[in-house]
Structure formats: C-alpha cells, structure tokens
Amino acid sequence: MQKLQLYINQNIDQDLTPIYVRVDLFNDESVSITQSIQNVKDIAKIFTEFTQTFSLPASQTNNKIFRHYHRFEISGTFDGRKKRKAKIELNNIPFKDGFVKLEGVDLKNDKAHTYRITFFGNTVNLKDVLGDDELGNLSGLSALDTVYTYAQVKAKIEATLTNNNLCVPLITHTQQLIYDSSVSNAQIGNLFYSSNPSFNANGLFYKQLKYAIRLQFIIDQIEAQYSEIEFSNDFFNNTSVTEFDNLWMWLHRKKGDVEPEEQLSLVFVTASPMGITSGSSGYFNASNNTLVFLPMPSTHTLDSNTLTINPTTNATYSVRVIRNGSEYVTLSNVTGLQTLFNNITVPTGAYSIEIASVAGVTFNQFNISWEFTVSVTDDDDEQAGGSSGFTIAFKNSQAFTTSTTIPFNISAQIPKMKIIDFLTNIFKMFNLTAFVDETGKIVVQKLDDFYAASNITHNIDDYVDSTKSTVNVALPFKEIDFSYTGLGTFLAKQYEQLNNRKWGSLDYSDLQSFDAPQNQYKVNVGFEHLQYQRLIDLTGSTDTDIQWGWSVDDNKQSQIGLPVIFYAIEINNGDNISLRNDSGTIQPVNDYIIPSNSLSTNPSTSKININFNAETNEYNAENSNSDEFTDTLFERNYKTYIQSVFNNNKRLTKVEAYLPLKIFYNLKLNDKISLNNNIYTINSITTNLTTGKSSLELLNEV
C-alpha cells in the first residue's frame, strides 16, 4: 500500500501564494488517476489527469477546509462553483499538481458525513481561467487601435510584415474584383491602373478592405491578460515556426463597411486617456483606455457603481459603453451631464467608453468618471462581524475631445469567438498537445514532436500480471473526416459543387474500404476557409501578381461567416492596382499583401499550406507546379499518427501492472514501454494511487 496525501489551497484568491492544508482521507478510500495525452478513441481532444470522484470524511479538519458547505445560511462559506489549487503526494514525495472541485456533501442525521471531490490535472485549468471570455475581451488588443482612413488603409496594404502585427490583405467584403487592361471594361472593381483618364472609372474603393491581425499577437495578449497562462516557445512564441507565426485573422465582424454608411457622420471614439486615478484592487485594472473588472470572491460585494459624463458645452453627443468588444449600453443624442448605471450591478468584463458628436465635444480632466465602491467581509468571520472596503475611480486624466475621424478599434472589430474556442481550433489545425511542466508553463507541441522529445524506454516485464491481458483492434473508426466548419463563401461553395467534395477537406481511410468499424470521426476546425483567386488580365489572359479573397455567400452577398485565417504574403513591385479614395481619385499601388492558403507562392521555397488535402494551389493554378504544395495540415501533423492507427498490424493491448515508484514517478506520457521484447507507446494509464495497481492501454509500434 502507498501513502497518499492530498493538499488543498485555502487562499480564496487563486492568484496569491497558495496556503496548502492537508485533508483527512478515509483509510479504505480508493483513488484512481487516469493519464492520457492523446487517446486513439478521441483523436481531436487533449487529455489531462483526472480522478473519479472520491470521498473525504467530514472530520474537524475537512469541515474547516470546506467551511461547513452544507450550511448555506453561513456567510463566506466554501465556493463550490470554483476549483481550488491542490496537490497530491505519494509517500511524502510530490506527485501531481492540479485542482479539486467540490461535488457535494452527504449528510447523516442532518450532519455532514462525507465530502465528495474530484481532482483535475493542471492543463484543464485553461478552460477555467478563460471561461467564456471572447477575443474582444483582450484589452491589450487596443494597442493596435488605429483609424480607418484612406491613408492608413493604403499604408497597411503596402506595409512590410516583419515586426508588424497589423496589415490590410486583398480580401473584399462585397465587391468582386477583376483585372482588365481594356478601356472598354473600365469599371469599379477593375484593378488595372493607368494614368490615362479613360481608366478613371477603375479602382478598388478602400472601404471594401479591412485590417488583419497576426495570430501570434493574439497569443501575446492572452498571456499578458491571464497571469496563469504562459505558453512555451515550442510552437507559439517562436518566429522560426513560420507556419504559425505568419498566420493572420481578418478583422471582419460586421457585414459590409467598417462603419455603415448612415453612421459616417457620427463617429464614436474611445475616451482617452482613461485610467484608474484613485484606489487599487486586484479585481480592477486598466490599460489602453480599457477597464477590466474581474470576478470577486464571495467575501466582496459591489455596493455601487456610477458612470458620469459631463461635457464642457451643450453640444449634442452620444455615448456607448463597450463590454468585451460589443455594445453594452448606449445613450443617443443627449446634452449636458449624464449618469449611467447609478448603482445597478454590472457584470465582469473589459469595458471602454466611446463618445461621438457631429459638432465635436470636449470633456475636461476627470469629467468622464466611473466609480465603484466595494465592501469586503472578513473571510475568517463566519458571522460577518467585521468588514472593510475600497473605492475605484476610472477617469480621464487629461481633457478629451471627440473626433470626426473613423476609429478602428480592434476589440470591436475582431470576430466574435471565445478565446478557448480560438485556441482549440488552432490545436486542431496543427494536432497540438499541451501539458504543464514543473515550472507551471504550458508546453505546447505538435504531437509528433511531443513523442520525439523522449528517448526513454521503461521495461515492465517484471511488474505485469501475466495472467490477465487483452489485445483489441486499434482502429475504432471507419474513416476520419478532416475539414473546416466555415466553407460558405462563394468560391468555396463553387468548388464543392464542381468537385463534389469540400474545399481543403480530406476523408481519410488509408485508401481502403473498412466495414468492421462503423463510425466516422470528424476533426472540424471552426474557422472560415476561403478559396482565393489569382487574377488574370482578361485582355490577353496573362497572369498578374494579384491574388484576392471574396467574403460573400453563394448569392454574392456580403457575409459574416467564421473568423478567416490566412497566410499573408508580400508582393513587392508587382502589377499596379488602382486604389480609390473618398473623393473617387485613384492611385497606383504596386506593393501589397495578398491572402493565401500556402505559406509561399513558390513550392521550392515552402510547400506548407493550411489545407487538409493537397489542393491545386490558387496562385499557381495554371502552372505545372500547382500540385507541389504537398505539406498539408494532414501530411505534416496527422499522417504519422493516423497511418499507424490504420495499420493492420496495430493493436491496442491492455495489461495490469504494479509499477514500482522508480518508474511511476518518472514516467512521462511520451516515454516508450517495453513488454515481452515489443515496444509500445502509451495510450492511457489508470492507476489506483493507494494500491499502486495500474491498468495500461498500449499501442504497439509497427
């Protein structure tokens, strides 16, 4: 028998240094932990350690830890809605760090008898930290806020991508583009440029375009905002991993123009400089004119909050409060002093204040003021005998005047998507896996790289129960469908109609038909996957350097769709494109950024692309090397693992063993197992921590 110890953090604020208290266990309690990094039965999911729910006695120690949870009339009791940091030791040696969740309390004669809890490994904390927060909740995105003017859009079309996190790709939200050097086809949407006045009708109106943001910058802001999250530099945070570092997201949240035409005379501008001018608290922080209000423990109560807007003139203005990138409250066409919320409780989130006025309006220092008053109950006083509190003031530290220039606020324009869904879809694209190392860093690697990182093999011949084992078929699926969820744009739909299969998708069955397994497994990535088009000169049929994307549905109407992810490629000294400003004047541009599904336009430079299937490359469709872009998402990230699973010689072997602590403590999920002169990878391990008995699922190497 092994000696199991469980410790739970008693510090309510999980950001502070943990105060661990050892809990009492039942003498005969059986506690099992399952470990799996990727399971052949559920390929697209990332696994972590977990236990089955187990029981703790309602001892004096445990009652103090859980604060008599069943007595809901007691103030400041244990918060069962949140996980608490915890750690497990075996024989007084640290084994696993993670979290515990209180499931409930069993009573006998109206008194607590048993507390039911579940232990989770560290990686699951990612969901808990991010919750339902959306990309628009990332306050640091506002560091890239800019204006939406012809000059700025043109500058970002021509921008170099190195050390740049914002660009404008040639993706239009409505207008179809062509290239025709014939004056007989001069029209809006024709990109051909000539100084000849006969071509003045040509051109791309700049308001057809929108900015795009580098995905790595989004990762940076996730790490900056959530102190619990720090990714390794194996895949993220590594400029040499160009297949991710050069991926961008198109900032397309609304149909049509950045600002609807009828709103152009009323331009909302984020009030600045805004910051916390008095008071301090870990539950309120401000940066880049954004106030972030974080969840508070049950000991904290928001007593009041009042937002006052007091201009220096009587000019008409409108105010809107933005929460997590979306409009939360609006006051339209008001004058003079205005009060919002006035003690009404507001939910947690990232808030900014935007003001618009046709005539322009000025606010003196501190005339835009949002004040919060919070009372704090002493956590150690169950009867709530003592209390204290604090006040936070979020104000403009300098005078602020509205503008008539259209702002482009990243948090308001970034597509609507939860942060956890954004990360999950990136993980699915590249078959990433994650685990928390001993420093608390989240190590993110491709699955193949994870397995290749270990060269350790453990021989378990002497510890296996040879009287009981099973060997099963490893393949649980008939085929695996790799695809994008977002395939609703015009060219992607047209491709499906012409080819009877989805653009960029792959149905994998090892080129054979299997009739034993019946299920189809789906790996669906929740991004929009555009098919792009390289333009040819319709007069002469010669290729241009221009490739563009068209974000419309099959009726050629502007659509929202899912977030568009693409590679950005600089074209320098290419064919001139004609760009139109507000007055209708056209200018030539020969440096521009084209969107692409491949990392390069030249397969001799890179064959990497974000299709699952090896498609004909859009930029090289008419050339002999169009089929050479073979480094697909499947080929680079899934093939090794999937092909081995489909191999006829692959088996899923289940054995039971009493692994000695020298193996159990040091065993990593990418280590190999040697059994009866065969080498295996680990599919999963379930271990009874009290008896030391382990059930292993092993995949033989072929």
Side-chain angles (χ1 to χ4, degrees):
M1 294 290 289
Q2 297 176 155
K3 186 178 180 182
L4 171 69
Q5 298 101 10
L6 172 65
Y7 297 84
I8 298 178
N9 177 28
Q10 288 302 285
N11 204 326
I12 293 176
D13 189 340
Q14 296 288 290
D15 293 331
L16 299 179
T17 302
I19 303 173
Y20 286 111
V21 176
R22 181 177 172 182
V23 304
D24 294 331
L25 300 173
F26 283 116
N27 291 332
D28 58 350
E29 180 68 21
S30 178
V31 180
S32 295
I33 186 169
T34 297
Q35 302 174 78
S36 180
I37 201 73
Q38 181 151 10
N39 195 307
V40 68
K41 303 167 190 171
D42 207 345
I43 295 162
K45 285 189 178 179
I46 302 163
F47 294 85
T48 185
E49 300 91 1
F50 70 96
T51 66
Q52 302 298 327
T53 299
F54 63 98
S55 302
L56 305 175
S59 63
Q60 184 176 359
T61 297
N62 293 348
N63 284 337
K64 185 175 181 181
I65 291 172
F66 297 109
R67 303 182 66 82
H68 300 279
Y69 183 76
H70 64 291
R71 295 183 59 188
F72 49 81
E73 75 276 8
I74 296 178
S75 176
T77 188
F78 189 91
D79 192 346
R81 301 169 301 174
K82 299 178 181 178
K83 296 184 179 73
R84 289 282 187 92
K85 289 181 180 178
K87 60 181 181 180
I88 291 176
E89 292 183 357
L90 290 179
N91 298 337
N92 298 308
I93 300 174
F95 175 61
K96 292 291 180 184
D97 290 331
F99 294 80
V100 294
K101 176 186 176 185
L102 176 62
E103 304 289 353
V105 187
D106 295 332
L107 307 180
K108 283 190 177 181
N109 299 321
D110 293 328
K111 291 185 178 181
H113 178 267
T114 305
Y115 292 98
R116 290 173 280 108
I117 66 170
T118 304
F119 178 89
F120 297 87
N122 260 335
T123 309
V124 78
N125 188 40
L126 204 59
K127 278 187 177 181
D128 299 327
V129 171
L130 296 172
D132 291 330
D133 288 356
E134 297 183 354
L135 294 174
N137 187 227
L138 296 171
S139 60
L141 296 177
S142 59
L144 297 181
D145 284 353
T146 184
V147 293
Y148 192 75
T149 62
Y150 172 77
Q152 184 67 349
V153 170
K154 181 174 181 292
K156 289 300 181 182
I157 290 176
E158 299 174 314
T160 57
L161 296 174
T162 304
N163 299 321
N164 206 335
N165 292 312
L166 201 66
C167 74
V168 172
L170 289 177
I171 303 176
T172 60
H173 59 69
T174 305
Q175 179 70 56
Q176 183 174 7
L177 302 183
I178 63 170
Y179 190 95
D180 194 339
S181 57
S182 171
V183 70
S184 64
N185 203 12
Q187 59 176 296
I188 297 294
N190 185 354
L191 296 187
F192 177 75
Y193 174 82
S194 172
S195 58
N196 185 334
S198 299
F199 290 95
N200 283 351
N202 278 3
L204 166 61
F205 188 34
Y206 80 95
K207 287 181 179 174
Q208 283 288 320
L209 305 173
K210 298 184 179 183
Y211 297 103
I213 189 172
R214 192 186 294 270
L215 295 196
Q216 178 58 51
F217 185 77
I218 299 176
I219 296 294
D220 294 341
Q221 302 319 305
I222 294 172
E223 293 181 292
Q225 184 153 317
Y226 302 94
S227 59
E228 306 94 325
I229 297 176
E230 180 186 3
F231 296 115
S232 69
N233 60 2
D234 297 86
F235 187 79
F236 299 143
N237 306 318
N238 191 336
T239 56
S240 67
V241 184
T242 53
E243 62 186 303
F244 177 75
D245 193 64
N246 197 33
L247 276 176
W248 297 70
M249 176 185 287
W250 193 42
L251 297 175
H252 177 60
R253 185 167 178 146
K254 308 169 186 174
K255 289 184 180 181
D257 293 345
V258 170
E259 288 285 348
E261 199 65 31
E262 63 272 17
Q263 294 184 21
L264 291 182
S265 60
L266 192 62
V267 179
F268 282 89
V269 180
T270 301
S272 64
M274 296 288 294
I276 295 176
T277 59
S278 63
S280 64
S281 167
Y283 305 109
F284 294 85
N285 59 71
S287 64
N288 297 313
N289 308 311
T290 300
L291 176 70
V292 179
F293 175 26
L294 300 172
M296 297 187 297
S298 58
T299 55
H300 290 52
T301 303
L302 179 61
D303 292 328
S304 65
N305 82 97
T306 303
L307 172 59
T308 56
I309 312 290
N310 190 13
T312 59
T313 66
N314 288 325
T316 300
Y317 65 97
S318 296
V319 180
R320 63 187 184 192
V321 178
I322 303 299
R323 176 179 177 267
N324 298 345
S326 298
E327 191 172 302
Y328 182 62
V329 173
T330 300
L331 286 179
S332 300
N333 301 320
V334 296
T335 58
L337 175 65
Q338 298 294 323
T339 301
L340 287 83
F341 304 124
N342 198 22
N343 302 334
I344 297 174
T345 300
V346 295
T348 57
Y351 291 89
S352 59
I353 301 166
E354 296 182 351
I355 303 175
S357 175
V358 176
V361 63
T362 298
F363 300 85
N364 288 338
Q365 182 187 34
F366 302 148
N367 277 16
I368 305 171
S369 175
W370 198 351
E371 295 191 359
F372 297 80
T373 300
V374 176
S375 62
V376 181
T377 302
D378 186 353
D379 184 44
D380 293 326
D381 183 2
E382 291 188 0
Q383 303 305 317
S387 64
S388 59
F390 57 85
T391 297
I392 298 293
F394 180 64
K395 300 181 180 182
N396 60 317
S397 57
Q398 299 176 21
F400 165 71
T401 302
T402 60
S403 170
T404 57
T405 300
I406 298 176
F408 193 96
N409 299 324
I410 306 298
S411 61
Q413 301 293 344
I414 198 166
K416 188 176 179 65
M417 173 175 273
K418 292 180 182 179
I419 299 173
I420 189 65
D421 292 341
F422 166 76
L423 291 172
T424 299
N425 286 310
I426 296 295
F427 272 59
K428 285 183 180 181
M429 284 180 70
F430 296 98
N431 198 14
L432 302 178
T433 192
F435 62 93
V436 179
D437 68 12
E438 60 278 0
T439 69
K441 184 179 294 185
I442 301 173
V443 179
V444 178
Q445 295 175 308
K446 290 187 176 184
L447 186 67
D448 290 346
D449 294 338
F450 170 75
Y451 281 123
S454 174
N455 57 5
I456 297 175
T457 301
H458 303 277
N459 187 293
I460 63 171
D461 286 343
D462 295 337
Y463 315 113
V464 170
D465 181 0
S466 59
T467 64
K468 182 181 180 181
S469 62
T470 60
V471 179
N472 297 329
V473 176
L475 180 64
F477 312 114
K478 182 178 181 179
E479 64 180 12
I480 303 176
D481 174 27
F482 296 91
S483 65
Y484 287 88
T485 305
L487 292 169
T489 54
F490 180 82
L491 292 177
K493 280 285 190 183
Q494 186 180 69
Y495 178 91
E496 183 177 356
Q497 293 164 2
L498 293 174
N499 296 276
N500 198 30
R501 66 179 184 86
K502 298 175 182 178
W503 164 245
S505 302
L506 174 68
D507 291 331
Y508 183 83
S509 59
D510 202 26
L511 303 179
Q512 299 183 51
S513 177
F514 302 118
D515 56 10
Q518 295 297 312
N519 297 327
Q520 181 187 48
Y521 191 91
K522 295 181 181 293
V523 179
N524 294 127
V525 175
F527 293 132
E528 197 73 34
H529 192 50
L530 269 61
Q531 184 180 34
Y532 301 106
Q533 183 180 61
R534 184 178 183 178
L535 296 181
I536 62 172
D537 187 346
L538 297 179
T539 300
S541 298
T542 57
D543 284 334
T544 71
D545 301 309
I546 305 161
Q547 181 162 284
W548 72 295
W550 195 17
S551 182
V552 296
D553 59 24
D554 51 1
N555 292 317
K556 300 185 179 181
Q557 300 297 313
S558 180
Q559 71 156 26
I560 298 295
L562 294 169
V564 175
I565 304 297
F566 66 95
Y567 286 121
I569 297 177
E570 292 180 37
I571 300 295
N572 296 308
N573 296 315
D575 293 297
N576 278 330
I577 65 173
S578 179
L579 193 64
R580 298 179 71 88
N581 62 17
D582 288 300
S583 63
T585 304
I586 59 174
Q587 284 185 296
V589 175
N590 65 358
D591 293 339
Y592 39 85
I593 294 167
I594 63 171
S596 174
N597 286 315
S598 57
L599 186 58
S600 171
T601 59
N602 187 346
S604 63
T605 301
S606 175
K607 296 179 171 61
I608 292 175
N609 62 86
I610 53 173
N611 296 314
F612 282 106
N613 189 56
E615 304 288 0
T616 299
N617 184 265
E618 299 105 302
Y619 198 82
N620 293 268
E622 305 301 322
N623 302 326
S624 59
N625 61 3
S626 64
D627 296 327
E628 294 181 17
F629 293 82
T630 52
D631 287 348
T632 63
L633 292 176
F634 174 80
E635 193 74 21
R636 288 177 59 83
N637 307 309
Y638 282 94
K639 182 177 180 179
T640 300
Y641 184 81
I642 298 299
Q643 279 193 338
S644 94
V645 172
F646 273 82
N647 191 297
N648 187 43
N649 293 325
K650 200 74 166 182
R651 303 290 186 272
L652 184 65
T653 300
K654 297 182 180 181
V655 297
E656 293 184 350
Y658 286 89
L659 300 179
L661 290 180
K662 66 179 181 180
I663 291 180
F664 189 59
Y665 271 121
N666 299 313
L667 184 65
K668 301 291 189 295
L669 291 173
N670 54 350
D671 292 346
K672 299 291 192 298
I673 297 294
S674 172
L675 178 61
N676 298 328
N677 295 319
N678 293 313
I679 303 299
Y680 298 83
T681 56
I682 300 169
N683 193 55
S684 70
I685 303 176
T686 299
T687 303
N688 186 311
L689 297 181
T690 50
T691 66
K693 184 178 181 180
S694 295
S695 298
L696 295 88
E697 287 190 348
L698 305 173
L699 290 166
N700 61 297
E701 292 200 342
V702 178

